[in-house]
Amino acid sequence: MSLLFKNAKQLVLQIDEFINTVEQGILVFKEGVLNYVNHDKDLFADKIATIDRLEATADKLQRQIDDEFYRHSLLPQNINDIESMLDRMDELIDISKDNLYQFALEIPFLPESIRDDYKRLTNTSVEAALCVIPAVRTYFREPVKVRDMLSKVYFYEKETDKISRSIKRKVFHEMHDLDLAQKIHLRYFALHIETISDKAEGLADVLSIMALKLNI
Amino acid sequence: MITLLFLSSGLFLGWSLGANDAANIFGTAVGTRMVRFRTAAILGSIFVIIGAVVQGAGASHTLGELGKVSTLAAAFTVALAAALTVFWMTRLSLPVSTSQAIVGAIIGWNFYTNSPTDVGVLTKIVSTWVSGPILGGIFAVLLFMLLQLATRKAKLHLLYKDALVRVGLLLIGAFGAYSLGANNIANVMGVFTDAVHFPEIHIGWLVISGKQQLFFVGGVAIAIGIITYSKHVMETVGNTLMPLTPEAALVVVLAQAMVLFIFSSQSLSNAVASIGLPAIPLVPVSSSQVVIGAIIGIGLYKGGREIKLNILGSISLGWIATPIAAGILSFFMLFFVNNVFKQDVGSNLIENLIIKEISTHKPPASPVVDTMGLMDPLDLVKHVGTPKTVPAPTHHHTIYWVIGILAFMTLASLLFLWNRWMKKKKQWLSQIKQLKETHQQQLDAIQKKLTERNAIQEDMDKELKFRQNEMTTMAMNIIHKNEFLNDLKKEILTIKGKMKDPESRHNLNKLTLMVSQNISIDRDREKFQLHVDEQNTRFLQLLIEKFPAMTENEKRLATLLRLNLSSKEIASILNISPKSVEMNRYRLRKKLGVPGDVGLTEFIREL
């Protein structure tokens, strides 16, 4: 019996660590983008290295959690839902890492006039992802409250869309001194940053249904 | 050995009870992989035996009050009748309970032996059949509310909750198994308690009575049922009948265990009686029906949308049909055992009548009546004379009337059920047959169409191949002929260069001209072009429809490309240079708007 609780305790710790890692990854992404926008090259390189390490840790933890769940057939009724939720969380950190690498590799040119918009876009998109993290934690302890916590995620996702649209409008309609290639490049980077909030919204949808299933 | 042989019907009943009812306790836990079957089976077996030995006497005593089945043969027959009823009704997919079957079988014995059936005891038993599921429902709702409250207050992590539920399923499962053994052992061994007497066993301070030994044997039979067959029942019936979450299963099993415990605990009954309340009847109740009651209770608490109320009808039908069927079967089997195998199945019918007559006609002070309890019934018969001298009482006829009416009612209800089942079966079979026929017809029609299409396709392919071969042969002929004419023209020109004679040179010039004319205005080529046009009418129409601006030359080139001829071959046919063909191809490509990654020939062939 004590083994049963020991396994549960170990898994709870691993899940908490996984969630923390993803959360840190998202925060590192945010800082990384801001460093890039502010031309802090050293700090940006440091963020790349950090997110690389965090992503690897998240992958390792996810595999360990998977193994534990299946080895001890824990939560057999909810295992599929939880696995899918953890997958989506892992996707968040994966995309954050990929996006940061896109900045490092493609080195997009960000004109001075649009930098603040990109900062705002990053903050809002990341905020959507950060709002879904507490909901994930709550799912494990108080599933009844999960749905109430998700409204912020949807709000920030919509805000991100608006900012992204305004950036695209600005780039294509107002910044005539840019080449088409540069405009398209800027649009792609707006899209990359926007993906974080889209993924957070997807996770929120899944979480909402999962919580509902637990409460029935 | 003989005792064990006679006990076999009870042991069979125990085995089937273990196989079926263990699913009520551990079905969901095993089905949802929260508890391993091995663990569940070991735990269930141990606690069923403990429950039967420690607390089995109460419910068994009540069954004894209903009818004291005094001989081993009678007990065997009664238990067998109950077992066969359960088996038969399960085969017919009718709701059945061992508790109700055994009660019916005992009443059957009462009728056969003309023993009086205590209406009070019967009422007590029947009332628990109704109150058991209701009580199960009430307990389930209360426990469910408590669990919900505790979950909300504790805010436990899902994984800790999962661990707790696992432990709970094991502990409550053990309690459930204990209660099942305590309550339902009466169904298995209750009828044998008056017929089988084992000597007491003393192990130090521990005294194991004969009844407890009998219950231990019955408990072992239930345990064997759990170990050998309950896994199959859990996997097939258990989950499909009532898919529950582990938490709900916890509540349902606990509610069931509590109900079974209440109806089998002598101490609890005494405690209730001591505070002035009516004593709890100790009666075997159906664990399945209590479980159904508990599930319905939770369903009603949640809003009642998921409840299938027709299941209540099925339970009610089980309350009536099972005891009647078991009673009639028991009656006829007793008659058979008594008259064919000449086994004593209890007090003889006629002897009972005589005793009754004596007790009603003789004064109480009579020595015969005083010693009645001590005398052998046969001596009694001798004492009062032969049965012929006893006038047939009217009560005797009443019994047969009652039996007749009950038999008629049972037969009618069974016929009704049988008829309904057969109708359903017939309907299913006809539906399946119809479906199969329709599918076969569709399959045949598709097969036929496919064969026809294949035949047409084959013919068309042959025709196309033939035409293409014909065209290719013609094209090749033209190519060879033109090559030959070109060679001839070159040869003539060489000879002309060597010739000095003006007339010969003139003639050679004429010859060269003829050859040249033959190359450019070639009848074969015209014939070939006509042939190609004729063969490609539909293709040409399509070209005109799709690309109206195409010139004749372009159309010709397209038809030649369709033949998969190379530029060189086309050049020879059209009597133009390969370079011109290439240029024409380029223009055609532009006009047709062929994408860069698609070959012109493929594009044309796919048109």
Side-chain angles (χ1 to χ4, degrees):
Chain A
M1 205 176 287
S2 64
L3 187 73
L4 203 67
F5 284 98
K6 198 180 160 191
N7 287 334
K9 193 179 174 184
Q10 195 187 335
L11 199 53
V12 168
L13 289 174
Q14 279 176 338
I15 290 173
D16 283 344
E17 202 184 332
F18 175 76
I19 297 170
N20 288 341
T21 312
V22 173
E23 195 174 21
Q24 279 175 38
I26 294 163
L27 286 168
V28 168
F29 166 76
K30 181 179 140 185
E31 288 304 311
V33 175
L34 295 181
N35 290 340
Y36 181 86
V37 174
N38 295 331
H39 296 299
D40 294 331
K41 283 184 183 173
D42 291 343
L43 288 174
F44 179 73
D46 184 46
K47 296 294 177 299
I48 289 264
T50 313
I51 205 164
D52 227 0
R53 185 174 44 78
L54 287 171
E55 198 266 340
T57 312
D59 280 349
K60 194 179 153 193
L61 279 168
Q62 199 196 359
R63 274 194 293 276
Q64 280 174 357
I65 293 166
D66 276 8
D67 286 353
E68 287 293 308
F69 265 118
Y70 284 107
R71 193 181 300 151
H72 305 292
S73 70
L74 299 169
L75 292 172
Q77 300 263 302
N78 315 96
I79 175 83
N80 290 334
D81 285 342
I82 292 173
E83 290 290 305
S84 141
M85 183 180 75
L86 296 180
D87 276 347
R88 281 173 184 272
M89 287 198 74
D90 188 53
E91 220 175 314
L92 270 178
I93 193 168
D94 281 352
I95 283 175
S96 299
K97 188 189 102 174
D98 286 349
N99 286 350
L100 220 49
Y101 265 104
Q102 302 270 28
F103 276 97
L105 296 171
E106 296 182 18
I107 317 166
F109 168 66
L110 295 170
E112 189 66 46
S113 58
I114 209 161
R115 280 183 191 172
D116 283 344
D117 293 312
Y118 268 90
K119 282 180 190 172
R120 210 150 59 85
L121 181 72
T122 309
N123 283 330
T124 321
S125 186
V126 163
E127 201 57 45
L130 290 176
C131 281
V132 85
I133 302 285
V136 173
R137 288 187 210 278
T138 311
Y139 168 80
F140 286 105
R141 290 184 191 275
E142 278 182 284
V144 186
K145 288 186 179 169
V146 167
R147 284 169 80 87
D148 298 334
M149 298 176 80
L150 297 174
S151 54
K152 271 187 180 179
V153 182
Y154 297 118
F155 169 76
Y156 282 119
E157 198 276 330
K158 280 198 182 72
E159 282 302 302
T160 312
D161 283 352
K162 277 185 206 166
I163 298 167
S164 174
R165 266 200 301 274
S166 86
I167 287 175
K168 285 171 204 163
R169 199 173 296 116
K170 202 169 177 181
V171 167
F172 283 96
H173 293 272
E174 293 168 24
M175 303 176 82
H176 301 295
D177 50 335
L178 289 178
D179 292 341
L180 182 63
Q182 284 175 319
K183 288 177 184 177
I184 290 170
H185 207 199
L186 285 174
R187 186 193 72 169
Y188 272 117
F189 274 87
L191 271 178
H192 290 325
I193 298 168
E194 206 185 323
T195 323
I196 304 282
S197 67
D198 288 341
K199 292 288 170 190
E201 191 192 25
L203 176 58
D205 288 339
V206 168
L207 207 56
S208 166
I209 293 162
M210 281 167 65
L212 197 70
K213 273 162 86 177
L214 268 191
N215 293 330
I216 287 172
Chain B
M1 194 63 197
I2 291 289
T3 309
L4 208 65
L5 187 76
F6 277 116
L7 276 177
S8 61
S9 61
L11 296 179
F12 171 63
L13 205 58
W15 177 85
S16 72
L17 191 124
N20 288 304
D21 288 12
N24 294 334
I25 302 167
F26 287 111
T28 306
V30 173
T32 54
R33 288 176 286 127
M34 295 290 277
V35 175
R36 280 188 204 154
F37 173 74
R38 216 173 113 183
T39 316
I42 293 170
L43 203 71
S45 303
I46 293 169
F47 279 90
V48 153
I49 296 170
I50 295 173
V53 176
V54 175
Q55 206 178 296
S60 174
H61 177 72
T62 312
L63 275 191
E65 279 177 19
L66 187 68
K68 283 194 186 298
V69 183
S70 52
T71 70
L72 205 51
F76 167 81
T77 315
V78 167
L80 189 64
L84 288 176
T85 309
V86 170
F87 175 74
W88 184 52
M89 287 183 76
T90 310
R91 283 287 301 264
L92 290 177
S93 305
L94 293 170
V96 66
S97 141
T98 319
S99 315
Q100 286 139 24
I102 202 79
V103 166
I106 291 172
I107 294 171
W109 179 84
N110 282 351
F111 272 109
Y112 185 76
T113 57
N114 198 30
S115 305
T117 302
D118 191 329
V119 181
V121 175
L122 188 62
T123 313
K124 200 160 78 175
I125 292 171
V126 173
S127 67
T128 58
W129 293 350
V130 184
S131 59
I134 293 173
L135 211 57
I138 294 167
F139 282 158
V141 171
L142 292 174
L143 289 168
F144 193 73
M145 284 163 75
L146 205 69
L147 186 74
Q148 272 190 331
L149 193 75
T151 313
R152 271 180 207 157
K153 290 270 177 204
K155 291 179 189 172
L156 277 175
H157 194 283
L158 272 185
L159 284 159
Y160 289 135
K161 209 166 96 179
D162 178 74
L164 278 176
V165 168
R166 276 165 205 264
V167 174
L169 282 170
L170 283 175
L171 292 176
I172 290 168
F175 177 43
Y178 175 87
S179 301
L180 183 76
N183 187 278
N184 277 208
I185 193 69
N187 298 332
V188 179
M189 288 291 141
V191 286
F192 292 96
T193 49
D194 290 319
V196 179
H197 301 285
F198 290 126
E200 279 185 353
I201 298 173
H202 296 265
I203 308 166
W205 54 269
L206 190 71
V207 181
I208 302 168
S209 69
K211 262 188 190 177
Q212 283 177 320
Q213 291 170 49
L214 191 66
F215 291 161
F216 175 79
V217 175
V220 170
I222 298 174
I224 292 171
I226 295 174
I227 293 163
T228 55
Y229 205 72
S230 69
K231 190 178 182 185
H232 176 74
V233 180
M234 285 176 198
E235 280 169 359
T236 54
V237 184
N239 282 327
T240 50
L241 192 69
M242 39 186 180
L244 295 171
T245 61
E247 292 82 5
L250 201 72
V251 167
V252 168
V253 175
L254 185 57
Q256 177 221 6
M258 282 165 76
V259 172
L260 261 62
F261 183 83
I262 285 170
F263 285 121
S264 58
S265 172
Q266 187 71 60
S267 329
L268 193 71
S269 181
N270 293 342
V272 170
S274 68
I275 54 167
L277 291 168
I280 301 167
L282 306 179
V283 177
V285 284
S286 162
S287 63
S288 308
Q289 290 179 5
V290 177
V291 163
I292 291 168
I295 292 170
I296 289 174
I298 294 175
L300 280 173
Y301 174 70
K302 281 182 169 182
R305 275 167 299 185
E306 297 159 25
I307 306 168
K308 291 174 184 169
L309 287 170
N310 59 354
I311 205 161
L312 291 175
S314 298
I315 294 177
S316 315
L317 188 75
W319 289 339
I320 300 161
T322 313
I324 292 175
I328 290 170
L329 191 65
S330 164
F331 186 92
F332 286 109
M333 280 174 72
L334 285 164
F335 178 81
F336 192 71
V337 169
N338 191 199
N339 293 292
V340 177
F341 292 108
K342 301 290 175 197
Q343 292 290 322
D344 182 11
V345 291
S347 310
N348 188 284
L349 188 69
I350 301 165
E351 286 162 17
N352 271 325
L353 284 173
I354 295 161
I355 292 162
K356 275 195 175 176
E357 282 308 311
I358 293 162
S359 59
T360 46
H361 294 291
K362 298 279 175 181
S366 160
V368 176
V369 176
D370 278 348
T371 55
M372 198 176 72
L374 307 168
M375 285 178 80
D376 188 274
L378 287 173
D379 293 338
L380 198 74
V381 174
K382 279 175 202 165
H383 216 91
V384 295
T386 56
K388 284 172 193 170
T389 56
V390 181
T394 50
H395 181 65
H396 185 218
H397 291 289
T398 320
I399 288 167
Y400 282 106
W401 267 109
V402 170
I403 293 169
I405 289 165
L406 280 175
F408 175 75
M409 276 170 64
T410 312
L411 273 175
S413 56
L414 287 176
L415 269 172
F416 168 74
L417 289 168
W418 176 259
N419 195 26
R420 199 177 69 169
W421 187 72
M422 287 305 281
K423 265 186 188 171
K424 263 191 182 173
K425 198 178 164 188
K426 211 173 163 185
Q427 211 178 334
W428 289 335
L429 285 174
S430 86
Q431 274 177 355
I432 291 166
K433 201 179 163 190
Q434 215 174 339
L435 215 65
K436 269 187 182 171
E437 277 174 5
T438 322
H439 278 182
Q440 194 57 45
Q441 280 171 1
Q442 282 175 347
L443 206 71
D444 289 346
I446 291 166
Q447 197 70 40
K448 205 177 162 188
K449 262 188 184 174
L450 203 70
T451 319
E452 281 172 9
R453 283 273 165 92
N454 281 343
I456 293 168
Q457 185 72 34
E458 222 169 278
D459 288 348
M460 281 172 76
D461 281 349
K462 274 181 190 168
E463 180 76 18
L464 193 71
K465 212 172 176 184
F466 173 72
R467 297 282 179 193
Q468 272 190 344
N469 281 341
E470 202 181 34
M471 282 194 284
T472 315
T473 315
M474 277 180 84
M476 293 318 286
N477 275 338
I478 292 168
I479 291 159
H480 289 309
K481 195 184 157 192
N482 280 354
E483 277 172 4
F484 168 72
L485 286 174
N486 274 325
D487 288 347
L488 189 67
K489 198 177 152 185
K490 276 182 195 166
E491 203 59 37
I492 292 167
L493 286 172
T494 318
I495 295 167
K496 197 184 121 186
K498 289 175 185 170
M499 284 284 181
K500 302 284 180 195
D501 180 27
E503 200 185 332
S504 300
R505 283 177 71 93
H506 176 71
N507 286 337
L508 281 173
N509 272 343
K510 268 174 80 179
L511 201 62
T512 314
L513 195 69
M514 271 172 71
V515 170
S516 296
Q517 277 175 345
N518 216 309
I519 293 170
S520 56
I521 313 162
D522 191 349
R523 277 184 194 165
D524 282 348
R525 195 184 297 127
E526 277 175 13
K527 197 178 159 191
F528 170 72
Q529 194 56 51
L530 272 173
H531 192 71
V532 167
D533 289 350
E534 192 188 312
Q535 292 307 317
N536 293 293
T537 326
R538 282 177 66 188
F539 172 70
L540 286 167
Q541 271 177 359
L542 194 77
L543 272 181
I544 295 161
E545 276 169 26
K546 281 200 165 183
F547 311 101
M550 274 178 87
T551 61
E552 280 305 313
N553 279 340
E554 282 163 351
K555 278 187 230 166
R556 193 175 298 159
L557 179 63
T559 48
L560 290 173
L561 283 170
R562 198 166 174 243
L563 286 174
N564 206 15
L565 295 172
S566 69
S567 296
K568 211 175 171 184
E569 288 164 343
I570 293 170
S572 182
I573 290 167
L574 295 178
N575 198 25
I576 51 174
S577 71
K579 212 171 179 182
S580 304
V581 175
E582 285 300 323
M583 182 54 74
N584 287 340
R585 276 180 72 125
Y586 173 74
R587 282 181 196 136
L588 187 64
R589 203 183 171 90
K590 279 252 175 189
K591 195 163 262 183
L592 299 182
V594 184
D597 55 338
V598 181
L600 179 64
T601 314
E602 282 81 49
F603 181 83
I604 288 169
R605 283 172 84 92
E606 274 171 26
L607 271 174

